[in-house]
Amino acid sequence: MFRAGLRTPTAGWCRGWTQANLIAVPSDLAYDMLLYAQRNPKACPLLDVGDTGSVSTPLMSGDLRTDVPAYRVFENGELIDEPDDVCAAWRDDLVAFLIGCSFTFEAALLDAGLPVRHLEQGVNVPMYVTSVPSRPAGRLAGPLVVSMRPFRAKDVAKAVAVTSRYPAVHGAPVHVGDPEAIGIMTLGRPDHGDAVEVRADEVPVFWACGVTPQAAVVASRPPFAIGHAPGHMVVTDARDTDYVVPLT
Amino acid sequence: MFRAGLRTPTAGWCRGWTQANLIAVPSDLAYDMLLYAQRNPKACPLLDVGDTGSVSTPLMSGDLRTDVPAYRVFENGELIDEPDDVCAAWRDDLVAFLIGCSFTFEAALLDAGLPVRHLEQGVNVPMYVTSVPSRPAGRLAGPLVVSMRPFRAKDVAKAVAVTSRYPAVHGAPVHVGDPEAIGIMTLGRPDHGDAVEVRADEVPVFWACGVTPQAAVVASRPPFAIGHAPGHMVVTDARDTDYVVPLT
């Protein structure tokens, strides 16, 4: 359906199948990106890395140029296009990185009786560019990006516990409450995705987000990069259960 | 003490402080090694990667050329030296990789009432080069190396559970029982480290081992590499508790 042109956020889609963030950079920047991911494991848990020029990976047997609902194309850190496919923009020297996505643990949150607001509202998850720097690697540096889900104060500990078991897909939150402490002045105006309701008895809980490498691209201005449109993820052939630490 | 020349396996040393495997390769092989680690996360959980030429990293503030009890120096895949320091062999183009070590979870095994045989016997952990291939990356390929600890059949599940909580330091076993299935014909003759007693009521349990990149060096024959001597680890400034998934 995505290949045929459907453009939609993928939260809640294909339950049980692992979704991933995409960042593809020219091979001469690939070491820096691989190191950036290693140095920022909460934001950039790597699920798979393609060979140079390859449009598929072991975890994603389709075509990375067409099978994502929407893309972002960057030149010198500027967003120049948000196409439905990147057949025209793709280059033979690109290395594709697939990075874990917090959508994986949302099913576990639901299973634990914790409603996920953006799923209830049928919108994209809200994401924010924070004032927290990521750890630089080579030519790449930039701010941490987070996703936010509100929970009642009594449910925060359970949300922490459930997501802690998924270190390969961002794991435990990086910040609970106090949005201004990480530079988020207005919860109602996310930098990516959609605003969601945060009720009076709820605390905003923030998880590191796989859009962080795109923020590094914007901040560091490499000549070229392709990412997914935030919230419009790569649906992989992996299962969410592959990434949970068993509670034994 | 290591800097002054002490040469000893480090199992049981500096309890609570994280030990690590070392592999250092020339910068033109660093991408392949980083990718090899990403593609073999059970064997090569990366804790830290140094900048090119740097002899320390954020997790290891000492000097990687002197502060490891013993080293292995490889040229074209041949082990050419096992010195106490590598001040003479070190090169300015080397990139150092620190990889998690199963010694981290041994304290947790002990805390769970599970004795660890090589600690009881005061010897190095036995390690075996298996017939299981690792996943290649660029110019690097080779067999999986494993460490072995024997447990009573009734304790195997607990050993699995305890170590599952440490995915950053090899995590759960890769193989339980049946050594011949992974090409280990004689438990009493490990490829690295020391043989330990395996009693009649015990099952050998195998964990992926951070010596695996050295086996890739031997198999793939890059021009140059430096590793630690197996079992003679880098003692880092990190805490073992940094790498456990909380049981909440």
Side-chain angles (χ1 to χ4, degrees):
Chain A
M1 291 164 71
F2 301 147
R3 193 179 300 176
L6 179 67
R7 188 179 180 113
T8 175
T10 52
W13 279 61
C14 304
R15 183 165 172 168
W17 297 96
T18 302
Q19 301 192 23
N21 299 270
L22 170 68
I23 187 80
V25 297
S27 57
D28 75 350
L29 194 67
Y31 181 75
D32 289 354
M33 185 59 79
L34 195 48
L35 190 59
Y36 184 81
Q38 193 278 325
R39 288 182 174 175
N40 295 283
K42 292 281 279 189
C44 310
L46 271 180
L47 304 184
D48 213 358
V49 181
D51 291 318
T52 302
S54 179
V55 298
S56 61
T57 78
L59 287 191
M60 202 290 185
S61 57
D63 189 322
L64 285 169
R65 299 170 299 184
T66 55
D67 297 356
V68 180
Y71 297 83
R72 293 192 150 184
V73 181
F74 298 90
E75 280 185 11
N76 301 312
E78 302 286 337
L79 177 64
I80 62 161
D81 198 10
E82 295 190 90
D84 293 340
D85 73 69
V86 287
C87 291
W90 192 266
R91 295 165 27 166
D92 286 343
D93 67 342
L94 290 179
V95 177
F97 297 80
L98 298 183
I99 292 170
C101 170
S102 55
F103 292 169
T104 290
F105 60 56
E106 289 183 348
L109 288 168
L110 296 176
D111 287 344
L114 298 174
V116 175
R117 181 64 36 79
H118 63 272
L119 293 178
E120 290 181 318
Q121 298 189 199
V123 297
N124 198 351
V125 66
M127 291 162 268
Y128 305 86
V129 178
T130 71
S131 58
V132 179
S134 63
R135 189 175 159 203
R139 291 158 285 175
L140 293 171
L144 176 69
V145 180
V146 294
S147 63
M148 188 279 289
R149 293 158 188 81
F151 291 100
R152 286 177 295 180
K154 75 177 187 62
D155 289 334
V156 169
K158 193 191 277 189
V160 170
V162 168
T163 58
S164 293
R165 296 180 59 210
Y166 291 86
V169 289
H170 304 305
V174 290
H175 196 78
V176 178
D178 198 4
E180 293 191 9
I182 55 173
I184 301 173
M185 297 305 158
T186 311
L187 279 178
R189 285 208 298 268
D191 295 291
H192 306 293
D194 299 311
V196 298
E197 182 188 6
V198 181
R199 297 171 190 152
D201 64 344
E202 290 180 332
V203 176
V205 181
F206 301 93
W207 281 264
C209 176
V211 174
T212 299
Q214 294 191 33
V217 164
V218 169
S220 310
R221 307 178 64 82
F224 190 72
I226 292 175
H228 67 292
H232 301 64
M233 313 309 292
V234 184
V235 180
T236 75
D237 305 320
R239 301 303 303 246
D240 288 342
T241 48
D242 296 340
Y243 298 108
V244 66
V245 176
L247 255 186
T248 46
Chain B
M1 292 165 71
F2 301 146
R3 192 179 300 176
L6 179 67
R7 188 178 180 113
T8 175
T10 51
W13 278 62
C14 304
R15 183 164 172 171
W17 297 96
T18 301
Q19 301 192 24
N21 299 270
L22 170 69
I23 188 77
V25 297
S27 56
D28 75 349
L29 194 68
Y31 182 76
D32 289 356
M33 186 58 79
L34 196 48
L35 190 60
Y36 184 81
Q38 193 278 326
R39 288 182 174 174
N40 295 284
K42 292 281 280 187
C44 309
L46 271 181
L47 304 185
D48 213 358
V49 181
D51 292 317
T52 302
S54 179
V55 298
S56 60
T57 77
L59 287 191
M60 203 289 186
S61 57
D63 189 323
L64 285 169
R65 299 170 300 184
T66 56
D67 297 356
V68 180
Y71 297 83
R72 292 192 150 184
V73 181
F74 298 90
E75 281 186 10
N76 301 312
E78 302 287 336
L79 177 64
I80 62 160
D81 198 9
E82 295 190 89
D84 293 339
D85 72 70
V86 287
C87 291
W90 192 266
R91 295 165 28 165
D92 286 342
D93 67 342
L94 291 180
V95 177
F97 297 79
L98 298 183
I99 292 170
C101 170
S102 55
F103 292 169
T104 290
F105 60 57
E106 290 183 347
L109 289 168
L110 296 176
D111 287 344
L114 298 174
V116 176
R117 183 62 38 76
H118 63 273
L119 293 177
E120 290 181 319
Q121 297 189 199
V123 298
N124 198 351
V125 66
M127 291 163 269
Y128 305 86
V129 179
T130 72
S131 58
V132 179
S134 62
R135 189 174 159 204
R139 290 157 286 176
L140 293 171
L144 176 69
V145 180
V146 294
S147 63
M148 188 279 287
R149 293 159 189 79
F151 291 99
R152 286 177 296 181
K154 75 176 187 62
D155 289 334
V156 169
K158 192 191 277 189
V160 171
V162 168
T163 58
S164 293
R165 296 180 58 211
Y166 291 86
V169 290
H170 304 306
V174 291
H175 196 79
V176 178
D178 198 3
E180 293 190 10
I182 54 174
I184 301 173
M185 297 305 160
T186 312
L187 279 178
R189 285 207 300 269
D191 296 290
H192 306 293
D194 299 311
V196 298
E197 184 188 5
V198 181
R199 297 172 189 153
D201 64 345
E202 290 180 332
V203 176
V205 181
F206 301 93
W207 280 265
C209 177
V211 174
T212 300
Q214 294 192 33
V217 164
V218 169
S220 309
R221 307 178 64 82
F224 191 72
I226 292 177
H228 66 293
H232 301 64
M233 314 308 293
V234 184
V235 181
T236 75
D237 305 318
R239 302 302 305 245
D240 288 343
T241 49
D242 296 341
Y243 299 107
V244 65
V245 176
L247 256 185
T248 44

